[in-house]
Amino acid sequence: MSGRRVALATWLFLGPGCLIHAAPAAVPQPWQRPYGGADATGAVVLAYWGFEPGAEGADASGRGRALALRGSSRFTGGGVAGGGALECFGSGADRLVGCGAMAKRHPSLSPAGAFTIEMWIKPKPELADTKSVWLLDKKYLDYRKEGADGDRDYCLKLVAASGGRRRLVAQLGFGKDSADFGSGAFDLPSGEWAHVAFAYDGAGVGRFYVNGRDAGGSSHPGRGAVSPGQRDLVIGDRIGSNFSAFPGWIDGVRILGRAEVFRTGRLEIDRGSGRWVFRRMEQGASFGVRVCNQTGGALSDCIAVLGIESVGLRKEIRVGQMGLDEVRQIAVDVDTSLRPERYRGSVVVTGMAGETTHRAELPLELVIVPRPSPGRMPVVMWGTGDLPRIKEIGFTHQVMNLADFSAIWDADGPVESLSGDRLTEAGKTLDEHLAEGIGVVATLSPGHWLQDNAELGPKFGRVDRGGKIGEKPSLCASFSEVSAFARRVGESVARTFGGHPALEAALINTEVRDGTRLCFHPHDLEACRRATGRDVPDLVKDRGGVRYATLRGFPGDRAVADDDPILAYYRWFWREGDGWNRMHTMVHEGLKSTGRRDLWTFFDPAVRVPPAWGSGGGVDVISQWTYSYPDPIKMGQACDELFAMAKGRPGQRVMKMTQIIWYRTQTAPELPKDESKRVAWEREIPDARFITIAPDHLREAFWCKVARPVQGIMYHGWGSLVEAEHRGYRFTNPETAKVLAGLIRDVIGPLGPTLRDVPDRRADVGLLESFASNVFAGRGTFGWGHTWVADAHLVLQWAQLQPEILYEETIMRDGLSGFKVLMLPGCDVLPRSVVAQIAEFQRKGGIVVGDEFLCPAVCPDIVLPSLARTGAPDKDKAELQKRAAALRAELDPFYRRFAESDNPDVVIRCRRTDEADYVFAINDRRGFGDYVGQHGKVMERGLPSKARITVRRPGAVLYDLLAHRELEVKGGSEGVEFDAALGPGEGRTYLLVPRRIAGVAIDPVPESRRGGRAEIRVRVADQNNGCLAAVVPVKLEVRDPDGRSAEFSGYYGAANGEMRVGLDIAPNDAIGKWSVRATELASGRSTEAQFEVIP
Amino acid sequence: MGRLILVVAACLFGGAVRGANSGGPAERRDALLKAALGGGVEEVGRGLSDENLVVRRTAARLLAEAGASAEGALATALGNTDSLVRRTALRALCRLRPERALDWARKGLGDEDPAVRRVAVDWLTGVEPRTDNVTALLVKARGDGDALIRDAASAALFPFQRENVSLRNRKDYDHDVRIAQAIPLPESGWEFRLDPGDEGHLKGWFSGGGPGWARIDVGKTWESQGHAYDGVAWYRLTFKLPSKPGKLTAVDLAFDGVDEAAWVWLNGEYIGSHDMGKAGWNKAFQLDITREIRWGGENVLVVRVFDSAAAGGIWRPVRVEVLE
């Protein structure tokens, strides 16, 4: 087919994708009726089964490939043209008996080059219950299998696609391997005949047709003819074992010895791969319509007419001549200044074949969506769910694959990151997300792809000192080719999808550093020499470090020189030596290469490494996933590790993920033998390996995250959150999704912009996670929160302290100024400069809390003995809280908390900006419930708590930001006290400001014209009539004269009590009086104003 | 100096006092810090008798920093009721007077508090060259009830060290682990050799071969097989394995019980140990051998066993376990 692009400018447009062929003058096509003559018996026909009554199993081509029925299948009437058909019955659960009809093997059924398989199919309703059924099989082994049995001939399957649609998949065997060819998704209504065909050109290109329409295809360059096999040919099922028959009727099966082109006989129009959803005020937006001449002859005087009645648009576009099979792309500019809504219209194309007029019409629906509120806090589904439920729960983003790494690897420079049908599908999916207001996170793991690639993985794998590749794949990310590839991936995705506003973020090389290993390529050795000034020390054997106990002459006080060769090597290895961080940076920079500054990149899990800066490289955001058991407040510990990591790269932001899934083995391992003792989910899914997080844990974990200045939150485990197709993740608790939806609705929605804007309160309690102790003593958490180092953080939380996790690098760079208490858990070995800083800190009055492992060079003021968990969560928590109480008692004479509760189960955390403090209270009181608690591994049931909260801030006015009201406090010279009653796992957010909120005001909004701009300024005033020196949550509602909500209505954080919102009044916005209502969500005060929009 | 000793004596014999400065513990501590800045060792020394332990420890630390002028106070502080004060004093004294450190370390090893004993063993492990006296104290420390002390002493005395964590015990592995296949090693066909001089590891017995080995079975104690003996002995087994399984994530050598401690070599490579002191006699343990195992070939397993008393030996079965 030939293709030409016709660029036309109009001021708007768009449309959905279904292909409509207005029917006049369709030219009959050969495939539309039973074949006869040469079409049935010509030399090119290898076999043709028409199932005609009386000759049902006969080969109508005359080649003698007669069919014999198998199993329950039968020949019936009711064929596509009123003749006979082959009826098949689905295999259902019984996959041991095959059906369909079989033709004996024959060499002529293995085409020597190009070939086509076509047939008519009419599915039964039970097709909907199948994932994959066989339409025709001469291959048997639908996977790569060397030897005489495998990788030969062909098969054609019908597989399930999203939305109840179907795809065709052909697999061809080429002797040494096999290759899949796939169609795009299409509708296949049950009870209706459809013509399906697969045409292979004998040179690697396969195309599919459904009812004469091109349904996409695949290309495998370098392939030739299929390798001939020795198997029989089966229609309607697999040849043998693990049967999966097509449930329905089959007619007119023909195998041709050439690649046939099928046509509809009409002028066709569709929207191709163009967009139909746009974000308001988007620049350079355009829509594409694809017109294809499938009439079977040339057309003249082709004209496309676009019309959208609601905006008075009618645009005529002269297309001119169109040759046979010619395709034209018509580009139409879109005016995105229009009011956000759906604009319905049509495009009609006509063309003349002599006196005959061909006509096609495509109903169109342009969608212009409002821009998201600027401060919206991302709530990311780290995975992929169905859009309606993703939106219903409140997620703002989900993950999507947007790159064909193989194609990008093969290219010399940036290329389209997807092509063909995958590109089209991806474009549609991005549009769907944009229409629903859901951002897409592209998952880009070129490192995984290379590592797992059978050919490239070993070539670029890590090697040991002897140059030997390890058994387990582990990519050496330091190869220059790997870096270049990483950048190319980013550039290719940016070039292909960077212009689509639905693409908002990218996840880069997730979970790669767990498997990193030392590497001894010449380039690694040279890089080490360059960075450290030395060769790799001989004692360095693996990534786990070198234990000090094995080192003769190691300093007795375990204060190691800062430039100790082993320490220096590992510091280099983890920061840059293993190459991953640079590789992340390359992908990140590639993604930014087209200027999309708003697109944010992230890496996770970023702290599955020793405590050394640099993890994630140059990405915008680092994140980490955490399982909430046994103690959900460990979520805060993991969060604080991320902030410690981000300190190494100023400007890098932190988000935090909670695992929706729980490991069964960690939470409810033993299925009770006595069935009566099983709880509901154990009865229903006894073999579940991953179950749903308990709702109270999710709630508490949520509060632990938002109590910290995270810029977004994430969740993984769609299959455990809702009833959905699962891959091991099982849905065992329906309450969890409700809790999450409620938290997003009630907390993230109204308070998200504020929470993103309020920094942490400056910490005066530090907790050092020592890199040297990781290297020389194997300490650390690796982001898992399993070890004493992590539990020490929990102890501090329960002791009503708010620790900042420090890395040695932080202390070396910033010192310990401002800190009053320093906890040193598992700090067996410390660099000398850190020891010196600690000594100086103590000389200035700082209190050091150590454990029994502490580096002897440091004399602690308080000893907090470590705890080895027993696995009994109640006892472990009690022991840790006992230590917290003891620590609190020892610290009390020397350290005064800014805020605390009198109940250790109510954990307090504070953030601060300007004159405002934000105090979070989190209820950690829990017991064993009847979800998993009966197994004694996790206390999953939250219990209500009460606490008296003290904030040492005299004279403060207190607001409950969830209840939107002022609370009474008991004041004193030292501060304020108030009582809190919290439900299971519940959290609260309080705002303390020096002066009471007096009111909220909207400045007068000047009269605005259509197409003009109106600025709204809202001020939250205090008693002194100044703006409140705080970030105040504000709800803004802007409505047009018809009561419709306008763009930028939503929630804001008014910094310094003030916010400005610029409204772009659309050319088609309503004229008249618009209303603006602003409600500050601290005291609940609101005000309203009006302004006029004129023509 | 005399006044300082008097103050310390007051602490020792007269019980804790609030200290010379009035006010709360924070104020008293601040006063000590200020005094230390002015070189007031005497005033700082009075802090050793403070009723508040943090204040007392601050005093000990400041004295340790003061150096030789505080030696007397530090020596006396070795008898302080607070173990952290004793710990600080012991460490400071060992540093100040290395020539007398052996005596202090010996005394420290007898302290009731492991924190103090740890300081002693830490100092001992760092002494170069290592004298017989130092070695003797380390040997004693190897039998300490505290694991950290025991491990530190063992590490100093035994030249083979390797941290070996089975995949099933790795906290950083985000997958369930299951035993896909268990291959029992034979109970008979093992070889055995006593090592009363504890020198086999120095003579390379772990590399296999060599004369002087007798037959023995595992799954039962060596006493039950005629060896009335406590001390170090060696086991050796040559065994063949089938070809490598198609799917495996890791391979463990699993011991159901060795009385009481074991050090393991496979094909000449040191694998790791199981040493929990006496408490380890009936504890199962696993060592990762993924890298060292030879599939489809011959393997030589050598186990050094130490038994301090009563029955000893590899008295329960041994297996190769394939993990997925």
Side-chain angles (χ1 to χ4, degrees), chain A residues 510-559:
Chain A
T510 183
E511 204 177 17
V512 286
R513 300 202 74 198
D514 309 60
T516 195
R517 290 203 293 263
L518 308 189
C519 192
F520 299 90
H521 288 116
H523 62 250
D524 297 307
L525 300 176
E526 175 54 30
C528 170
R529 225 172 277 129
R530 226 173 22 244
T532 69
R534 302 184 185 93
D535 289 330
V536 181
D538 291 342
L539 289 165
V540 166
K541 304 288 185 203
D542 58 40
R543 63 178 227 156
V546 182
R547 299 295 163 265
Y548 72 84
T550 68
L551 297 172
R552 289 299 288 264
F554 197 80
D557 63 359
R558 302 205 292 269

Side-chain angles (χ1 to χ4, degrees), chain A residues 72-85:
Chain A
S72 57
S73 289
R74 59 185 182 182
F75 296 124
T76 65
V80 64

Side-chain angles (χ1 to χ4, degrees), chain A residues 858-908:
Chain A
V858 178
C859 299
D861 298 289
I862 294 172
V863 171
L864 182 69
S866 72
L867 178 79
R869 283 186 180 252
T870 64
D874 50 343
K875 292 185 178 66
D876 290 340
K877 184 181 175 189
E879 274 301 320
L880 290 168
Q881 286 196 327
K882 206 165 128 188
R883 280 166 171 71
L887 176 62
R888 187 172 177 162
E890 285 194 90
L891 276 176
D892 273 350
F894 304 97
Y895 176 77
R896 295 187 67 192
R897 294 155 187 76
F898 173 70
E900 61 186 308
S901 89
D902 63 352
N903 178 350
D905 275 337
V906 175
V907 175
I908 301 297

